[in-house]
């Protein structure tokens, strides 16, 4: 088995415990390797303190010969040179070590003398070895205790997360996780999960509403096509069949347009936000007019000669303009006017027509999906209530605004504001 895959399949508690225990054990073992030096340093330091206060001082000349009438100390010429220069001497012989300190002192007649003091460190090497063994055993014991403590601490720390996971799996729609009072990582996690649940509920509700509305809208043309086909089968009259087929073709086109609009709106809902770029609204408005099917309506554009750059994606602007022109074409009587007006930090797009207009009580609702003012604008026009909903969705996600009002000519005015590109 791949070691990395095996490691990643372990629980978080296991991995944290293993890492903490391993780090503690490695640190303590490294300290154990330094134990002989550390223990020896402690022993020598303790002996040095005693020798500094010792009264048993030997008096030698600078060559190492005794001047105090006692036997010559066991010091080599090299040791004498070190002591004369102020260095301390440590000589290890088997399990025993000898420590000497010394300094040069001038006698009353000006003769230099070497005053030295020494002591024997019995069991020096054995003490080092024994201390190292005990320290190694302590290192293993402490590492084990660190592992147990880490295991218990991680289990205690993850218990609220486990409770949160169980609660999240059992939450009914609309409910949220309780947020801990402590300002810690668990509070941030609970808030993030609640935000995720809110988006989930919103998406579920939007999908439910969208599916229901789509099913309702699709039922009408499908039922109409089926009824007309059944009539044509029941009455196989050639002249009547041609009339029925023409009606079927018309309903099929309506059904195809409805499906296209639904797919377009679904893609806009689920798709990621494209990167914003500078888009010349004046140029795009001209292109949109050129893309219109030829008809008897007069379409005029009122815009500055210079470019009006907005922060959006070009495909979004094309969809917005096409849907606004399609909506205005459906209800206009003789003309459509498109106005592009630069404003402070934004650009306004106005689309006016001379149709029946939108009653004030419906102006905020016309951007809702599948909403149509049938009694005032007429059902026979073939609208589905999706075009302006798509416009509102594409504009607002770019921090823009849409608004419906009254045109100076008495018809409808649809106003879109985009942030100016900077």
């Amino acid at each position: 088995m791949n070691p990395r895959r095996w490691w990643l399949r372990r629980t978080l508690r296991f991995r944290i415990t293993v890492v903490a225990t391993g780090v503690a054990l490695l640190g303590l073992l490294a300290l154990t390797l330094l134990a002989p030096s550390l223990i020896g340093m402690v022993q020598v330091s303790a002996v040095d303190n005693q020798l500094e206060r010792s009264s048993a001082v030997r008096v030698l000349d600078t060559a190492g010969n005794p001047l105090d009438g006692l036997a010559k100390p066991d010091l080599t010429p090299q040791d004498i040179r070190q002591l004369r220069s102020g260095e301390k001497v440590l000589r290890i012989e088997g399990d025993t070590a000898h420590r000497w300190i010394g300094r040069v002192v001038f006698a009353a007649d000006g003769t230099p003398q070497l005053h030295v003091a020494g002591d024997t460190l019995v069991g020096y090497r054995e003490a080092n070895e024994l201390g190292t063994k005990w320290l190694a055993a302590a290192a293993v014991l402490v590492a084990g205790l660190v592992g147990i403590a880490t295991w218990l601490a991680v289990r205690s720390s993850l218990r609220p997360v486990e409770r949160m996971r169980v609660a999240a799996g059992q939450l009914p729609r609309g409910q949220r996780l309780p947020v801990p009072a402590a300002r810690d990582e668990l509070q941030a996690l609970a808030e993030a999960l609640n935000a995720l649940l809110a988006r989930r509920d919103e998406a579920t509700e939007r999908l439910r509403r969208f599916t229901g509305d789509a099913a309702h809208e699709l039922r009408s043309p499908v039922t109409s096509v089926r009824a007309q086909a059944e009539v044509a089968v029941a009455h196989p009259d050639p002249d009547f069949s041609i009339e029925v087929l023409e009606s079927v073709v018309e309903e099929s086109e309506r059904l195809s347009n409805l499906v296209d609009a639904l797919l377009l709106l679904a893609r806009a809902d689920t798709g990621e936000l494209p990167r914003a770029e500078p888009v010349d609204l004046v140029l795009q408005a001209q292109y949109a007019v050129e893309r219109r099917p030829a008809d008897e309506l007069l379409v005029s554009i009122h815009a500055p000669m210079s470019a009006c750059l907005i922060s959006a994606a070009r495909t979004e602007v094309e969809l917005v303009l096409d849907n606004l022109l399609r909506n205005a074409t459906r209800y206009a009587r003789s003309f459509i006017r498109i106005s592009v007006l630069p404003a402070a930090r934004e650009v306004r797009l106005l689309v006016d027509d001379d149709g029946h207009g939108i009653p004030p009580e419906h102006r905020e609702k016309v951007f809702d999906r599948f909403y149509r003012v049938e009694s005032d604008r007429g059902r026979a026009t073939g609208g589905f209530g999706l075009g302006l909903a798509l416009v509102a969705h594409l504009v607002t996600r770019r921090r823009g605004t849409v608004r419906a009002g009254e045109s100076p000519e008495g018809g409808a005015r649809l106003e879109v504001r985009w942030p100016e590109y900077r």
Side-chain angles (χ1 to χ4, degrees):
M1 181 181 292
N2 189 337
R4 183 173 183 273
R5 182 178 301 176
W6 177 88
W7 174 256
L8 293 177
R9 292 179 62 181
R10 302 302 98 188
T11 63
L12 182 63
R13 184 188 311 170
F14 175 83
R15 284 183 286 171
I16 293 177
T17 302
V18 169
V19 171
T21 305
V23 171
L25 183 59
L26 289 176
L28 292 172
L29 289 179
L31 183 62
T32 302
L33 295 177
L34 298 175
S37 300
L38 296 175
I39 295 175
M41 187 182 302
V42 171
Q43 289 179 292
V44 171
S45 177
V47 171
D48 286 346
N49 291 333
Q50 292 180 356
L51 292 177
E52 292 289 345
R53 299 189 299 268
S54 175
S55 59
V57 178
R58 298 292 308 277
V59 180
L60 311 175
D61 60 16
T62 55
N65 299 313
L67 299 178
D68 52 6
L70 300 177
K72 185 176 181 179
D74 185 17
L75 292 172
T76 64
Q78 176 65 26
D79 295 339
I80 295 298
R81 285 193 295 270
Q82 289 183 353
L83 293 172
R84 196 167 54 227
S85 63
E87 298 180 12
K88 298 176 182 179
V89 174
L90 178 65
R91 188 169 65 249
I92 301 175
E93 298 174 351
D95 291 338
T96 304
H98 300 276
R99 183 66 167 176
W100 294 90
I101 63 173
R103 61 175 178 170
V104 176
V105 177
F106 291 92
D109 58 357
T111 304
Q113 298 176 348
L114 180 61
H115 291 191
V116 298
D119 198 359
T120 301
L121 284 72
V122 180
Y124 176 80
R125 190 182 300 275
E126 184 179 358
N128 287 350
E129 294 176 354
L130 186 60
T132 302
K133 291 179 181 179
W134 279 106
L135 189 57
V140 175
L141 178 62
V142 171
L145 294 176
V146 168
I148 296 174
T150 303
W151 176 275
L152 296 176
V154 173
R155 186 179 68 173
S156 175
S157 300
L158 292 180
R159 190 175 292 117
V161 178
E162 179 65 17
R163 289 198 298 265
M164 193 179 299
R165 182 191 67 80
V166 174
Q170 299 175 350
L171 275 181
R173 187 166 60 90
Q175 297 296 320
R176 297 293 180 266
L177 292 171
V179 178
R183 294 185 175 274
D184 54 8
E185 292 80 1
L186 290 180
Q187 185 191 58
L189 177 61
E191 292 176 347
L193 288 176
N194 284 338
L196 178 63
L197 292 172
R199 292 195 298 270
R200 181 205 64 179
D201 291 345
E202 181 183 353
T204 302
E205 178 62 23
R206 185 168 59 246
L207 179 61
R208 185 193 63 78
R209 187 172 62 251
F210 180 84
T211 304
D213 293 339
H216 175 75
E217 292 294 327
L218 288 170
R219 186 181 297 113
S220 177
V222 170
T223 302
S224 177
V225 169
R226 178 179 178 180
Q228 293 172 7
E230 290 176 349
V231 171
V233 172
H235 303 281
D237 180 37
D239 296 334
F240 182 71
S241 297
I242 295 297
E243 181 180 349
V244 171
L245 288 176
E246 290 176 351
S247 179
V248 168
V249 169
E250 181 180 351
E251 289 295 334
S252 298
E253 291 178 353
R254 173 181 171 83
L255 180 61
S256 177
N257 292 334
L258 175 58
V259 171
D260 290 341
L262 289 173
L263 290 175
L264 189 62
L265 194 57
R267 292 193 191 100
D269 269 344
T270 59
E272 295 183 359
L273 188 64
R275 183 178 180 180
E277 58 183 356
V279 180
D280 186 359
L281 187 57
V282 176
L283 189 61
Q284 292 302 321
Q286 295 172 352
Y287 290 159
V289 173
E290 294 174 359
R291 287 194 300 267
R292 287 184 66 254
D295 53 30
E296 297 180 355
L297 292 176
L298 174 63
V299 181
S300 61
I301 299 179
H302 298 268
M305 299 297 295
S306 59
C308 292
L309 299 180
I310 60 174
S311 180
R314 183 178 56 83
T315 54
E316 295 175 350
V317 179
E318 291 177 354
L319 287 173
V320 169
L321 287 167
D322 289 344
N323 279 279
L324 289 177
L325 281 176
R326 190 179 299 114
N327 182 81
T329 302
R330 186 176 296 125
Y331 303 114
R333 295 175 178 173
S334 58
F335 79 91
I336 299 172
R337 181 173 62 249
I338 302 174
S339 304
V340 179
L341 306 173
R345 297 187 178 181
E346 60 184 7
V347 178
R348 300 171 60 201
L349 172 70
L350 305 178
V351 179
D352 296 307
D353 64 65
D354 61 346
H356 299 288
I358 304 175
E361 63 272 17
H362 297 290
R363 289 174 184 172
E364 293 185 0
K365 299 179 180 179
V366 293
F367 297 103
D368 296 340
R369 299 178 182 185
F370 300 103
Y371 186 84
R372 288 171 291 184
V373 190
E374 297 177 359
S375 60
D376 298 300
R377 306 278 278 187
R379 185 179 178 86
T381 54
F384 306 113
L386 293 176
L388 294 183
L390 180 61
V391 168
H393 178 80
L394 295 175
V395 172
T396 53
R397 71 177 187 171
R398 292 295 183 185
R399 296 180 293 108
T401 58
V402 293
R403 189 173 67 89
E406 182 178 357
S407 171
E409 288 74 19
R413 163 173 285 185
L414 296 175
E415 178 180 353
V416 176
R417 293 173 180 253
W418 272 292
E420 183 182 12
Y421 181 82
R422 292 182 177 274

